């Protein structure tokens, strides 16, 4: 205990304290990280919650060094992390709601499309969106979902299945050269809901190029423009956006819609990769309706987890 007394406790662990301050500043000022070099800002924001793992590591080092300076410095990243993500640690789900939706990137190489479709339908969703549909597997999905969903449409590699009638179904141009997004009006008993299903272009992390996301960012801008022009008051976006709510490059979309997981979920709701989820890149976002609960579904034959949410229209 004597080593925790005297002036030494303030002089020791200055390097640990410096790392703690840097970690805290990185969390607080992540929006100022430049994207000009390898999309560093977007890469950091994609895995931003995981920066919190540095706090217990630095805490152990501070205790081993018996450094009061380092312990005090650790308050900065701890407070920053709680401010950013503390609200996600609590269960915000409620009861009620009258409209359930689910979305799933089924993976083009899924070995069990029939089982995957049945697993997603088991959620009881009124509307199901599927992304990365392989043309040869579409009949299997259609057959497996036919008994639960009377109405459906497949546009390119995305599809929508609904218990309620669909109108004005059309592809949405997200500047990819082929169809990976659609828009449909779902005629619910509570009124029409405009539903967008989208699969943003993939991003890659490369040593020589950083976080390559230029095509994803262009598609996000195009989808954001389409949603901005949407005349319906109730709007729902389902899909794999290949980015998190923290990623500034998705601002054309996220600035217009609420995350169902953020508003009514339990925890972070990470959806990818399925074996060890590290990020929520599969999103359910709304406008003009209130999310009541949001959750992830059990793993299927895909490399993503399905996600679902219940709304009150």
């Amino acid at each position: 205990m004597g080593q925790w007394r005297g002036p030494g406790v303030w002089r020791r662990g200055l390097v640990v304290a410096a790392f703690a301050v840097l970690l805290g500043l990185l969390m607080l000022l992540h929006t100022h990280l430049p994207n000009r070099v390898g999309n560093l800002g977007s890469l950091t924001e994609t895995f931003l919650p995981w920066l919190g793992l540095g706090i217990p590591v630095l805490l152990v080092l501070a205790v081993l060094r018996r450094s009061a300076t380092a312990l005090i410095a650790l308050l900065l990243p701890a407070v920053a992390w709680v401010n950013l993500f503390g609200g996600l640690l609590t269960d915000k789900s409620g009861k009620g709601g009258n409209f359930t939706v689910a979305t799933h990137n089924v993976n083009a190489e899924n070995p069990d499309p029939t089982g995957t479709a049945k697993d997603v339908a088991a959620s009881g969703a009124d509307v199901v969106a599927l992304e990365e549909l392989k043309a040869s597997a579409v009949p299997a999905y259609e057959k497996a979902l036919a008994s639960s969903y009377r109405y459906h449409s497949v546009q390119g590699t995305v599809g929508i299945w609904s218990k309620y009638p669909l109108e004005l179904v059309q592809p949405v141009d997200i500047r990819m050269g082929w169809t990976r997004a659609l828009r449909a009006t779902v005629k619910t008993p509570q009124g029409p809901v405009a539903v967008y299903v989208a699969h943003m272009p993939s991003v890659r992390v490369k040593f020589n190029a950083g976080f390559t996301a230029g095509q994803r960012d262009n598609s996000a801008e195009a989808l954001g423009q389409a949603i901005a022009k949407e005349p319906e008051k109730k709007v729902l976006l389902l899909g794999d956006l290949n980015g998190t709510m923290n990623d500034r490059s998705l601002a054309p979309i996220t600035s217009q819609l609420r995350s169902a997981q953020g508003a009514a979920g339990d925890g972070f709701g990470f959806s990818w990769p399925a074996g060890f989820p590290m990020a929520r890149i599969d999103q359910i976002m709304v406008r003009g309706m209130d999310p009541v609960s949001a959750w992830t579904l059990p793993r299927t034959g895909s490399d993503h987890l399905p996600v679902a949410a219940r709304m009150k229209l």
Side-chain angles (χ1 to χ4, degrees):
M1 292 295 294
Q3 295 186 25
W4 281 99
R5 298 174 182 174
V9 300
W10 302 105
R11 292 195 295 265
R12 291 191 296 267
L14 296 181
V15 173
V16 178
F19 274 107
V21 171
L22 287 174
L23 180 61
L25 292 176
L26 181 59
M27 293 184 195
L28 290 173
L29 303 176
H30 66 88
T31 58
H32 296 281
L33 287 174
N35 257 349
R36 292 187 298 273
V37 180
N39 277 293
L40 179 62
S42 287
L43 176 60
T44 302
E45 288 161 346
T46 297
F47 300 103
L48 193 60
W50 294 95
L51 292 181
L53 292 178
I55 297 174
V57 173
L58 292 173
L59 176 61
V60 170
L61 294 176
V63 171
L64 290 175
R65 291 288 294 146
R66 294 180 171 84
S67 170
T69 301
L71 289 175
I72 292 175
L74 272 170
L75 290 174
L76 178 62
V79 171
W81 193 93
V82 170
N83 180 62
L84 287 169
F85 305 110
L88 295 175
L89 298 179
T90 60
D91 184 358
K92 300 178 291 299
S93 60
K95 297 181 179 179
N98 52 11
F99 187 54
T100 302
V101 298
T103 181
H104 190 23
N105 178 326
V106 296
N107 188 356
E109 305 306 319
N110 192 318
D112 183 20
T114 298
T116 295
K118 291 181 178 179
D119 288 343
V120 177
S123 66
D126 300 300
V127 171
V128 167
L130 301 181
E131 303 87 47
E132 205 168 298
L133 290 168
K134 190 176 183 179
S136 60
V138 168
Y141 288 107
E142 291 175 328
K143 182 178 179 180
L145 295 171
S147 61
S148 299
Y149 300 94
R150 182 177 177 183
Y151 309 94
H152 88 280
S153 176
V154 174
Q155 303 282 327
T157 61
V158 297
I160 181 171
W161 278 258
S162 174
K163 295 180 178 179
Y164 305 124
L166 298 174
E167 294 183 351
L168 303 175
V169 183
Q170 58 190 20
V172 176
D173 182 8
I174 57 172
R175 304 173 187 168
M176 291 193 65
W178 70 95
T179 301
R180 284 192 14 170
L182 66 80
R183 184 257 182 226
T185 299
V186 178
K187 304 294 287 186
T188 77
Q190 291 76 30
V193 176
V195 178
Y196 288 79
V197 180
H199 183 193
M200 294 288 102
S202 298
V203 297
R204 298 287 186 268
V205 181
K206 301 179 180 178
F207 287 110
N208 62 339
F211 191 63
T212 58
Q215 191 176 23
R216 190 278 312 268
D217 298 347
N218 289 334
S219 290
E221 182 180 1
L223 182 58
Q225 291 173 354
I227 293 173
K229 298 175 183 177
E230 175 56 52
E232 293 290 351
K233 293 182 178 180
K234 296 185 176 72
V235 181
L236 179 66
L237 171 61
L238 307 170
D240 173 6
L241 302 190
N242 268 309
T244 68
M245 293 295 294
N246 295 312
D247 190 337
R248 74 190 70 171
S249 295
L250 295 184
I253 300 170
T254 57
S255 62
Q256 303 184 65
L257 305 168
R258 296 175 68 195
S259 163
Q261 180 68 27
D266 180 7
F268 289 94
F270 293 147
S271 63
W272 176 89
F276 187 81
M278 297 182 65
R280 185 180 178 89
I281 63 175
D282 301 275
Q283 307 290 353
I284 296 175
M285 304 180 68
V286 304
R287 185 172 75 200
M289 62 189 84
D290 295 321
V292 174
S293 58
W295 63 97
T296 56
L297 299 172
R299 187 177 181 181
T300 69
S302 173
D303 57 340
H304 292 242
L305 294 178
V307 299
R310 189 164 177 82
M311 266 73 68
K312 181 179 180 181
L313 295 184

